[in-house]
Amino acid sequence: MQLNLVVLPGDGVGPEVTAQAVRVLREVANVYGHSFYFKEHTIGGVAIRETGSPLPAATLEACLRADAVLLGAIGSPEFDQLSSPHRPEAGLLQLRRELGGFANLRPVSSYAALAGTSPLRGEIVDGANILFVRELLGGLYFGEPRGITSNNGTSAAFNTMRYSVSEIERVARVAFEAAMKRRRRVTSVDKANVLETSQLWRQTVSRIASEYPLIELDHLYVDAAAMHIITNPRRFDVILTENLFGDILSDEAAVIAGSLGMLSSATVGGAVDLYEPVHGSAPDIAGKGIANPLGAIASAAMLLRHTAHLDNQAAEIESAIQEVLDAGYRTPDIARETDSKLVSTAEIGQLVADAVAEIADMRHAYHAV
Ligand code: IPM
Ligand code: MG
């Protein structure tokens, strides 16, 4: 298998975590004889500093020609005062739009080894396994008109939440298809008691559900969903929701996994798939070698599954992550005082790569007898 991958390390801890994801992908290529080619480009704050633009033309062109894009993180406090179009985040939003992926898949599950790390009690999170399907190209993030007006010395700002039927249909289908391969349950999250966009959302999702008679669909208002996600996470299989609700709820759900650093994502449905950990640039810990790269590494696993259809090898990376956690290795975000095997970003990346090689070896040995 040959894959041309563009790597966008981005800001803050982005370069540290993507380096580990690339290390693990190189190991997979090595043990299975694939040719994975990696090209790095700039995006976000680092791109603004170098070129003045958060998404330089060379970056966008390379991404559009790639088989998939692996991104680290975007955002830097030095640009906090800038208006939306000039901020690092504008580069990411433009990239998402240009690549066209409208469905952002964010799996969240509890790891037995990390049960004591979650602020939630073990009996609540044990066995939780949720897939968020977040609409990624609509809603308040992209709705027009938007802006800030000034009148007689007073300012006002406005954004538009807008969804068309076809935008809702296409992401709903992704959620139902995903649920067919899981526990066949979709919870659609909206605010249909207040918002017109949510009323159209609910109607449309219900209509698409009739194409999937084996799926059990329910609807929750977003405020109630926020509560159920942390009080009874096992009640959920697939959660389908619009852009901003999905952004907020997926960060909240990270407490089920034990840390935001654990979460991965895949953005699919467009010309080129985009893979990024859910966490941000975490400028406070950047450059210290203490960031958790497991979300980035798990995003690389999603890349193998969704873009390369290497399901087994994706699963092997996930098993490798699990093994390293079971063996007690921890970055600070997932460590407790009693944990003694505290390791750096690069060390845990290497441990996962080693575990991948070992799992592959065992598989070979098994097939040889
Ligand atoms: C995410 C992030 C982004 C978003 C930011 C960096 C623009 O929070 O991927 O969840 O809001 O989508
Ligand atoms: Mg977010």
Side-chain angles (χ1 to χ4, degrees):
M1 159 86 54
Q2 184 174 320
L3 280 180
N4 290 308
L5 304 174
V6 165
V7 180
L8 306 176
D11 300 318
V13 298
E16 298 163 66
V17 299
T18 47
Q20 300 317 312
V22 168
R23 185 200 293 267
V24 171
L25 285 175
R26 283 194 199 283
E27 190 61 53
V28 171
N30 181 32
V31 295
Y32 288 99
H34 303 307
S35 302
F36 293 168
Y37 302 100
F38 301 91
K39 268 218 181 93
E40 273 197 17
H41 285 273
T42 58
I43 189 171
V46 42
I48 298 178
R49 261 177 250 122
E50 272 182 29
T51 70
S53 159
L55 182 63
T59 299
L60 177 57
E61 272 164 36
C63 291
L64 287 169
R65 269 185 280 121
D67 292 317
V69 178
L70 186 64
L71 182 135
I74 301 288
S76 177
E78 77 182 89
F79 303 109
D80 274 354
Q81 308 314 319
L82 299 183
S83 65
S84 297
H86 303 287
R87 295 173 60 99
E89 288 82 355
L92 175 58
L93 297 178
Q94 194 197 335
L95 178 68
R96 286 177 179 170
R97 189 162 49 187
E98 299 274 357
L99 297 183
F102 53 83
N104 179 226
L105 314 179
R106 300 188 159 186
V108 179
S109 56
S110 74
Y111 290 84
L114 298 183
T117 315
S118 173
L120 302 175
R121 289 198 307 280
E123 75 234 45
I124 291 176
V125 296
D126 274 353
N129 184 326
I130 305 175
L131 176 67
F132 283 87
V133 178
R134 168 189 177 194
E135 199 292 324
L136 205 64
L137 292 184
L140 285 166
Y141 278 64
F142 293 97
E144 297 283 348
R146 62 189 291 162
I148 300 182
T149 56
S150 235
N151 220 334
N152 295 328
T154 59
S155 297
F158 57 101
N159 291 88
T160 303
M161 190 186 269
R162 186 188 292 278
Y163 272 105
S164 68
V165 166
S166 62
E167 285 173 308
I168 302 166
E169 284 175 346
R170 63 185 188 176
V171 73
R173 287 208 169 87
V174 170
F176 287 114
E177 293 293 337
M180 285 301 290
K181 298 190 197 133
R182 294 172 49 99
R183 301 191 305 280
R184 297 188 175 174
R185 196 170 168 160
V186 173
T187 301
S188 176
V189 171
D190 61 39
K191 189 70 186 173
N193 49 345
V194 177
L195 303 175
E196 282 80 2
T197 41
S198 282
Q199 288 150 18
L200 187 68
W201 182 279
R202 193 173 277 222
Q203 251 174 41
T204 306
V205 170
S206 300
R207 180 166 47 73
I208 298 298
S210 63
E211 297 170 19
Y212 296 88
L214 297 176
I215 301 261
E216 194 187 323
L217 170 70
D218 69 338
H219 303 270
L220 278 182
Y221 296 138
V222 62
D223 47 356
M227 194 263 295
H228 288 299
I229 284 169
I230 50 167
T231 51
N232 188 12
R234 275 191 301 269
R235 93 181 267 303
F236 296 103
D237 178 15
V238 173
I239 295 182
L240 164 65
T241 191
E242 69 87 43
N243 203 346
L244 181 65
F245 297 161
D247 178 48
I248 297 168
L249 295 179
S250 58
D251 266 33
E252 183 203 15
V255 299
I256 295 166
S259 164
L260 195 50
M262 297 298 299
L263 299 198
S264 58
S265 89
T267 302
V268 300
V272 181
D273 298 336
L274 171 66
Y275 298 88
E276 40 180 325
V278 172
H279 65 73
S281 58
D284 51 323
I285 61 163
K288 297 186 177 159
I290 58 174
N292 182 347
L294 296 179
I297 294 171
S299 301
M302 294 188 87
L303 186 160
L304 292 187
R305 179 172 293 118
H306 293 277
T307 295
H309 307 291
L310 296 170
D311 292 34
N312 290 334
Q313 292 159 41
E316 285 175 14
I317 294 180
E318 289 156 359
S319 304
I321 291 173
Q322 189 112 27
E323 278 183 18
V324 167
L325 294 174
D326 288 345
Y329 295 103
R330 302 283 185 270
T331 46
D333 59 310
I334 48 174
R336 290 187 303 170
E337 268 156 39
T338 48
D339 286 319
S340 56
K341 292 181 178 169
L342 209 59
V343 288
S344 70
T345 308
E347 283 166 337
I348 205 162
Q350 184 63 53
L351 285 161
V352 175
D354 293 346
V356 164
E358 237 164 72
I359 292 169
D361 269 356
M362 268 165 49
R363 238 227 266 211
H364 275 139
Y366 179 79
H367 285 295
V369 291

